[in-house]
Amino acid sequence: MVLKPNSKAFKNWKEIPAMVEFEVYLFHCVNPREVLAGERPVLQQRGPYTYRERLSRQNVIFHENNTVSATLVHTYNWIPELSVGSPMEDKIMMLNVPLVAAIEKVQAFGLPSLVNILFSFLVAMKSETLFTSHSVHELLWGYEDPLLVFLNRIDPLLVPDTHFGFFYKRNGSNDGRYDFNSGKGDFYNFSRIELWKGMRTLPWWTSDSCNAINGTDGTSFRPMLSRKDVLYMFNSELCRSIYATYEQELTVAGLWAFRFTPPASVFANASTNPANAGFCTPTGNCLGSGVLNVSVCKQGAPIIMSSPHFYQADPQYVNSVEGLKPNKQKHQTFIDIHPYIGFPVRAAKRLQVNVHVQKWHLVEQTGNIRTLVFPVMFLSENMELEPKAVGELAQLQLQISLLLNIPYILIALAGLFALVAAWLACRHARATSRDSERTPLVVGQED
């Protein structure tokens, strides 16, 4: 289990032998007019829109300090037979995310009321409203937004791109260069992240522990895991490290596995888990349990991350909208890992993207909307090993089991030999005893 050229571990690390289905579910708002009037949003979940995701590490470089640098490239291809509907044809009524982000930026500058009125007027001229309808494909992969075009002409530095899409420019891209520990000399450090984008720590949060880059990237772990282990992973989408703890033992495709899941404490409010106080931004501005404000690492966009349907979150978020039903089986993130080898045999990473929205005085487009953490979509990234990899892992599992059981086999053989030796000794003793019984006690003398 060392990352070095031509090793088995490196081969599976570089070209991850897994089938990954990337499912996207979007929330269609049924009652946008009523929401602007202050009523609770009614949401309908649409999807899944399923894509085949391929993961491949590129630009791999080995370094003399026992580290390996690489980028993890994601490519996506739509799978019609696993999708409900067509991303090109299906329309979704959703919050106008570029408009909400622009409003947040204007408010963050603390500009006077006159500027707010002028901004509202300019937005109205562009016929921008707080809710807008676009195709699934546009929302995911990008479309040219009139407001962004307008703002880009005013200040290209403030608004550098005229397109918006949740995965705009993501197909065939990566989330930056990672430097991994090769595991040479200490397998406990196998595939641990040493640097991300050249950084040892993150710049966004307000405590050292929250800014720490801990663990691996979630695609591999060190071998010889136990039920007591806590697995740390860095997730660039969340802009933070998370952790998972043992939940249960199970069998996946005939392979032994431990299931690890993120406990509720990972996203708990600072009052429940004081270690999370550093994730409150600005300092002291803490949301309820189960949600994470990532605007500090999303260019100020008011993005709030959570588990799908606010699973494990404060009930206030579920109750603020209609149409969500948290369910552990459907919405929990988990990773099933072969404990000997530390390789995931099945996993599901599930995240929900929400937008923070509220009424802004003098900005007409926000109407009388409630202050909401408004769900817009959730993602389920499901991974299973390819059949060939399952077969190879089964063979390796058998070999390791034999190796690990050699001491017990030797002890058993030693015990067996001891029993055989004892039996032979007893048999010899009984034979000697019978011979002595046949020998006369008194030997007669001749006359």
Side-chain angles (χ1 to χ4, degrees), residues 25-36 39-47 91-96 130-132 306-310 316-326 352-355 357 369 372-378:
Y25 299 83
L26 296 104
F27 293 109
H28 173 78
C29 183
V30 175
N31 60 336
R33 291 183 180 179
E34 290 78 5
V35 173
L36 288 173
E39 295 185 19
R40 190 169 64 151
V42 177
L43 304 178
Q44 290 180 352
Q45 180 178 294
R46 302 283 178 85
K91 297 282 188 178
I92 303 294
M93 179 62 71
M94 186 181 289
L95 273 178
N96 188 338
L130 195 62
F131 287 88
T132 182
S306 70
S307 292
H309 287 235
F310 295 120
Q316 64 171 308
Y317 299 114
V318 181
N319 297 332
S320 65
V321 298
E322 185 177 330
L324 301 186
K325 295 180 180 179
Q352 181 167 294
V353 180
N354 313 279
V355 176
V357 64
I369 194 169
L372 294 166
V373 176
F374 202 112
V376 292
M377 70 173 182
F378 86 78

Side-chain angles (χ1 to χ4, degrees), residues 8-23:
K8 191 75 173 179
F10 174 72
K11 176 186 174 183
N12 291 333
W13 177 85
K14 185 176 185 297
E15 296 290 339
I16 300 172
M19 300 174 291
V20 183
E21 292 175 1
F22 185 70
E23 297 177 336

Side-chain angles (χ1 to χ4, degrees), residues 278-409:
F279 294 119
C280 300
T281 56
T283 303
N285 183 27
C286 298
L287 299 175
S289 289
V291 297
L292 177 68
N293 182 357
V294 295
S295 59
V296 290
C297 61
K298 304 294 183 183
Q299 293 78 48
I303 302 298
I304 310 290
M305 303 296 289
S306 70
S307 292
H309 287 235
F310 295 120
Y311 170 70
Q312 291 185 325
D314 191 307
Q316 64 171 308
Y317 299 114
V318 181
N319 297 332
S320 65
V321 298
E322 185 177 330
L324 301 186
K325 295 180 180 179
N327 181 290
K328 178 179 179 179
Q329 299 301 321
K330 296 179 180 179
H331 304 139
Q332 180 189 51
T333 290
F334 68 84
I335 183 165
D336 298 336
I337 306 174
H338 195 290
Y340 288 167
I341 303 158
F343 202 85
V345 295
R346 181 175 61 190
K349 182 173 70 175
R350 293 159 174 164
L351 293 172
Q352 181 167 294
V353 180
N354 313 279
V355 176
H356 179 267
V357 64
Q358 61 183 333
K359 172 182 172 61
W360 289 109
H361 295 287
L362 305 178
V363 180
E364 181 183 350
Q365 286 76 14
T366 60
N368 290 310
I369 194 169
R370 301 179 182 188
T371 298
L372 294 166
V373 176
F374 202 112
V376 292
M377 70 173 182
F378 86 78
L379 320 169
S380 183
E381 199 171 11
N382 309 303
M383 183 278 285
E384 287 192 14
L385 283 183
E386 296 174 347
K388 181 181 178 181
V390 170
E392 292 176 350
L393 202 56
Q395 285 186 331
L396 190 56
Q397 175 178 270
L398 178 61
Q399 293 168 3
I400 294 175
S401 296
L402 290 173
L403 286 171
L404 290 176
N405 286 311
I406 281 176
Y408 304 103
I409 294 171

Side-chain angles (χ1 to χ4, degrees), residues 3 14 28 57 89 142 160 171 215 258 270-271 276 292 300 303 341-342:
L3 296 178
K14 185 176 185 297
H28 173 78
R57 298 192 200 274
E89 298 175 1
N171 201 350
F258 288 170
S271 60
N276 284 344
L292 177 68
I303 302 298
I341 303 158

Side-chain angles (χ1 to χ4, degrees), residues 82 166 175 211 217 225 276 387 422 432:
L82 296 181
F166 290 107
D175 62 343
N211 277 321
D217 64 355
L225 295 172
N276 284 344
T432 304

Side-chain angles (χ1 to χ4, degrees), residues 407-425:
Y408 304 103
I409 294 171
L410 292 176
I411 291 172
L413 288 173
L416 178 62
F417 290 149
L419 288 173
V420 170
W423 177 76
L424 290 174

